[in-house]
Amino acid sequence: MSEPAAAARLTLELTDGLKPDGLEDLYRDLHRHPELAFQEHRTADRLAARLRAAGYEVTAGVGRTGFVGVLANGDGPVVWLRGDMDALPVREATGLPYASTVDGVMHACGHDLHITWLIGAAEALAAGRETWSGTLVVVGQPAEESGGGAAAMVADGLHERFPRPDVLFGQHAAPGLAGFYPHTPGLIMSASDDIDVVVHGLGGHGSRPESTVDPVVTGAYIVTRLQSVVSREVAAAQSAVLTVGQFHAGTQANIIPAEARLALNLRTQDPEVRERVLAAVRRIVTGECQAAGCPRPPEITVHPGYPNTVNDASLDEEIASVHRELFGAHAVFDFGPAMGSEDFSLLAPAGVPYDYWYVTTTPVDVWEAAPGEGLLERLGNVPSNHSPLFAPDLSVLVPGVQTLVSAALSKLS
Amino acid sequence: MSEPAAAARLTLELTDGLKPDGLEDLYRDLHRHPELAFQEHRTADRLAARLRAAGYEVTAGVGRTGFVGVLANGDGPVVWLRGDMDALPVREATGLPYASTVDGVMHACGHDLHITWLIGAAEALAAGRETWSGTLVVVGQPAEESGGGAAAMVADGLHERFPRPDVLFGQHAAPGLAGFYPHTPGLIMSASDDIDVVVHGLGGHGSRPESTVDPVVTGAYIVTRLQSVVSREVAAAQSAVLTVGQFHAGTQANIIPAEARLALNLRTQDPEVRERVLAAVRRIVTGECQAAGCPRPPEITVHPGYPNTVNDASLDEEIASVHRELFGAHAVFDFGPAMGSEDFSLLAPAGVPYDYWYVTTTPVDVWEAAPGEGLLERLGNVPSNHSPLFAPDLSVLVPGVQTLVSAALSKLS
Amino acid sequence: MSEPAAAARLTLELTDGLKPDGLEDLYRDLHRHPELAFQEHRTADRLAARLRAAGYEVTAGVGRTGFVGVLANGDGPVVWLRGDMDALPVREATGLPYASTVDGVMHACGHDLHITWLIGAAEALAAGRETWSGTLVVVGQPAEESGGGAAAMVADGLHERFPRPDVLFGQHAAPGLAGFYPHTPGLIMSASDDIDVVVHGLGGHGSRPESTVDPVVTGAYIVTRLQSVVSREVAAAQSAVLTVGQFHAGTQANIIPAEARLALNLRTQDPEVRERVLAAVRRIVTGECQAAGCPRPPEITVHPGYPNTVNDASLDEEIASVHRELFGAHAVFDFGPAMGSEDFSLLAPAGVPYDYWYVTTTPVDVWEAAPGEGLLERLGNVPSNHSPLFAPDLSVLVPGVQTLVSAALSKLS
Amino acid sequence: MSEPAAAARLTLELTDGLKPDGLEDLYRDLHRHPELAFQEHRTADRLAARLRAAGYEVTAGVGRTGFVGVLANGDGPVVWLRGDMDALPVREATGLPYASTVDGVMHACGHDLHITWLIGAAEALAAGRETWSGTLVVVGQPAEESGGGAAAMVADGLHERFPRPDVLFGQHAAPGLAGFYPHTPGLIMSASDDIDVVVHGLGGHGSRPESTVDPVVTGAYIVTRLQSVVSREVAAAQSAVLTVGQFHAGTQANIIPAEARLALNLRTQDPEVRERVLAAVRRIVTGECQAAGCPRPPEITVHPGYPNTVNDASLDEEIASVHRELFGAHAVFDFGPAMGSEDFSLLAPAGVPYDYWYVTTTPVDVWEAAPGEGLLERLGNVPSNHSPLFAPDLSVLVPGVQTLVSAALSKLS
């Protein structure tokens, strides 16, 4: 079905009967009940049940809480569709009627959308199975957020226990006025590393700092010093983001604690830059602890994370064409690589091409109310992924199903 | 019994039969079972039981977990002896055989010594009650560490429900080679305030800091900027200590959180300096949040804490004389006011004189192994109160009972 | 002469008799006698004399110390070639036999190369004037380094007093193994702004900081805080560099001065990013001065500097083709836009296309000795423009003449 | 003349004829013509001329620009009176009619007052020489401000070439409502050290920080890190001041310079604290340069400066008594040791007692207009020594002569 126009027409046919209400109910239920990485039991159970009802053969517990649904529908290509399921340790602040009911946990990255889209597409393609042939594999991945869910599924036999894919598709909710489908034919997401730092000071009474080595003060100087890595050591033409996402020290105002714990996240798009920044972090943390007179050197542990996500360029152009047919040429454009990271690419066996795109989700009223004249400025002023205010517009539910269905149909016979 | 020599002689007589072993058992038991502020149930129960066995009438639950024991022994002055009971949220690292059995809680400030001394003195004075007349009141105070235990006892009727004191005594374990009893005839401990700071940033994805206002970075700049308060805004002749005892922000390396929480402790000895520092803290935190572009101003909450502790000068000279008789002239000297704080003084009804002194507790081998030639340098290199390594020498158990007994006898008829 | 091959052949012919020795003598003389912006009297005099000797009609004093040489050689296009003449306030540290003889002044940006190339090309084209027809205009520009030399020439009638150009060419010495000629068909250099900051503190005795507001400390916190602009407020996909090039405060160690003066330079490639960074600088400097309690707000003066340099894409492709003919296809590639800035583009009247390219100059032994395996790492480890160690390889003298001659011949009839 | 009352009476007699106008003319002339350390030629010439006119034998050029005047007046004690002559590199901002006429140089520390007082006292004592016997030695010292003037005079034979003193007197203008004469019987001024720091970075183009090591940024982090020395490493009961009086780096906004130069001044009152702070400075500067990745270690040069100034306690009490007689008991009190430093004490041969006191100089209207209720707060809000606004009240001219005359008369026979 290599004609974009044909795939788009069939997609509209198969999703014609989609009930937005049904998708909304599913989405709201998932949003209300977020589950952290590798704890997605309720989520996986409900999704697996719906897939089974639609005719899929479902294997649960792949990579701990992941699942795989297979719909063998005659000869033809094997297409994998993937959605990730885990939520984040964020305290929701949207005030939505369907806000999280779990204190301190929130679907703040849109994974609830991803799996709603995934189930919607799986059901639509199953219902219309007489229009295509081949094998559809639906992958419900756990623990995308730094948890290593994709690697866990692979380690659990994903590549051996299920039909080998000819192609893998995935998509991600993104900030930006709802109604756009950015495609990038190459590098689309960045490499990510987590770095744990433990500063060893010397604890003591808050009134006698002279008999201590204060790890709170040392940690603070480290955080300010780390700002110079990106500002002074990375060329402007290169991309790197170094975030200190956690700073934890101390139990009581009048006790100087014995240590401070920092958790850093690094995003890069070039291995040379990655090495340079990691070396700078080690140098700065060590130098600051020497400046502080710490009794022991700091512990610096790099947890190598997700690699670059690099779309197959011709596959991406093919899928982008179908999406243009569906939504108009204006709706599909190249946003360039983002600093976000994904373990999506790990799900593809070596050599198998994949494509990954964005679906913008910012409600029109939020977008228009955001201060700023330019696109960048507005983008900087709407709640983005991981924000406690992240609240996608529900108008994106049906289109996000259509993007997956049309991509699958492009490849299925 | 105004003669120092007589009080000292009688003290030695009354404590002659003191079994160091018994004191050590009590001390080790208390050290093994530390309890946080207002949770000193086990501690209070055991001490009350011993006092009752010694003949005291004990009232429990004064100021939640505090207790008061009264021994009316004929006409004469009313003397109050006080010990504080609470432990700290510190993870013990001494490796002692009698180390804390409660994870993350430790008697790191020596309150276990204070109450061992108090019970030892109460029992010795009760056993020797035929040698003096008057009324002895033993006050077991909860929650001295920022918890407001003294205020809680006063609010619960301490000054009305028990015999009004003519004099109040207390003592504190301090770093320094064991065997010294520093006395200060006037200001001995400082005023303390806790200050809570909440920095409101704008959370988001760790890879897109440009759409956030990073509260971790802002908090770090605040901590470094606060160092200039003492270094630049307090005259060298004045004393102030400003500690950031807690810095907590973030749940995950790749999420920029929405806020950071700092807890500060301030020690001063002069109200003008206190006001100046509080104003500087407000100015700096506010200015840094403006520099950061925070969407909301920070919350800065000052919890006024303990006032200065000012010994009655002539009372202190009197008690210092008795202690010189007991331990030799070399063992008693004036260390000057410390930056530590106490709510001890609140226990004394207005106008009632009080005296408070130190007992040094550093084991001789620790002292001699500490690097540094001068006294100050050594003091800076031995584990001090609130350190996870604070471990008093057990040789101080009997002398710390004698200091209290001799002070009481100085005033009793 | 639109055939690249023909222009290249003629270039080789015209530069065949070029004596490297003569170019080296000129270069060494210029390098020995650097002159700061608008003080290029000796430089301009010598160059003008050579041009006159070659048959050019030279007008001196255009834009103070600039000059314009015109060679009218029959009908045909008007081609402008430009070189900039000013040196930098840098103390040379190369140890070269022909190092600067002026203490604290150095040709550290390669402008001595630019004008040696310019004169070499002007002489070669004049000597071979029977091979082409048209008008050649040689522009010796003063004060390129933040001095506004191009604007000064335009204000002095450059666009009215001389034949209007059909095309403008310029080139710049760059770090990188000698022998490459990077071309970029579009944005090649960035916008630059200078920002002066004056922090007003309150001076006083170095021993009594409490009676002052210390501008050295405040300035230092500003510099550290400014690092967060690029690290936190500019998206990784955007390019910005914010440098504090000067920090001056104080006259004596024991006096706290009344003010500190900072000079910042900003490079951007997008007006939205430029506005965002300028706003951040204003917000941070103001917020830090509030945090410091400065008696007066800081002075923040933005000196809008040079705009983006945007090559005409088809012109650049044309010239790149000639250069490929001359030096081989491997020697010409697209390096992408740099963060450097230029006022070169201001010399072109509105609508006149221009092209600007790089000539790499790092000696092969320096390049090979530089630590680092990747290109980026090496580039970061060889002395770059503005370094006191910047020392171009003299092998680039003849090729840098040929680049200009061939570009001119491409356009002349 | 050991009776305070008698010395005071005679002082009033000898200064009865003092013309305030004459002192004011002298003072204004000196204030208008400030001279930096070791350049006090005009000042020394004029003062020497007046002393000669009054009958002193004057030796000029002692310690370069210093002078010594001797009035041998029969048997009896030898009394030395000292004034220092040098001005400061401060740009005066008082707007006084008699403001400095030398741009960037100002008598901002009151040395013009010191020598006016000294000459007034020398003339009054000479005029009344029939009332006392002994030898009066007037020492005009150059270069007190970090210049080492006292050491230069001693090296030049001060202790050998002139009558050996039995006692040495000096005094200093100080902020505080005019009319007070603070005396301190012991430590009165602190030890001072200057520390030069050179940070070696790697210079380069302002748009390519990734190829440099930025010494401006490194210097700024050092300055902020140094704030933690006093705030965290010096006990609150100890006194130390660490000031960064100079920060100089860079020549142009778009050049990253190769080095930054800092000049620090340290004040301490205890050798142990001094050593501790010097070690902390070395540790921090070194650690920060390691964090920065500086290509060479920093240069840290300690210039040991002036020692503690410790008054002879019984001498001070004696002179304080005379001053009480003259000005009333309320006017003389103990302010405690200041963080200021002096090389005055070096002028006294070993074992010779000396006394040094303050004369407060703030005009009453300035004092009353200063915001703040407490004394400390007001003191912090009036212009102090080294401020460009320091402007002593002229009402202090006669009393400052009387303090010296009365001190001398107390010791002369």
Side-chain angles (χ1 to χ4, degrees), chain B residues 319-345:
Chain B
I319 305 305
S321 298
V322 187
H323 290 168
R324 274 192 207 95
E325 287 289 331
L326 274 172
F327 304 112
H330 74 284
V332 178
F333 60 98
D334 184 354
F335 215 70
M339 298 314 296
S341 299
E342 259 292 349
D343 58 355
F344 167 76
S345 67

Side-chain angles (χ1 to χ4, degrees), chain A residues 252 254-255, chain B residues 30-31 33-41 43-44 47 65-67 82-90 105-115 140-150 172 306 342-343 386:
Chain A
Q252 199 162 304
N254 67 344
I255 306 177
Chain B
L30 293 168
H31 191 81
H33 300 96
E35 296 175 303
L36 291 173
F38 289 126
Q39 302 176 19
E40 309 92 337
H41 300 289
T43 307
L47 302 181
T65 45
F67 66 82
R82 173 268 202 174
D84 41 3
M85 306 188 291
D86 53 321
L88 282 164
V90 168
V105 183
M106 175 188 178
H107 266 301
C109 194
H111 296 190
D112 45 358
L113 265 182
H114 302 176
I115 44 184
Q141 183 198 310
E144 185 273 337
E145 300 283 352
S146 298
H172 206 296
Y306 301 155
E342 259 292 349
D343 58 355
H386 290 208

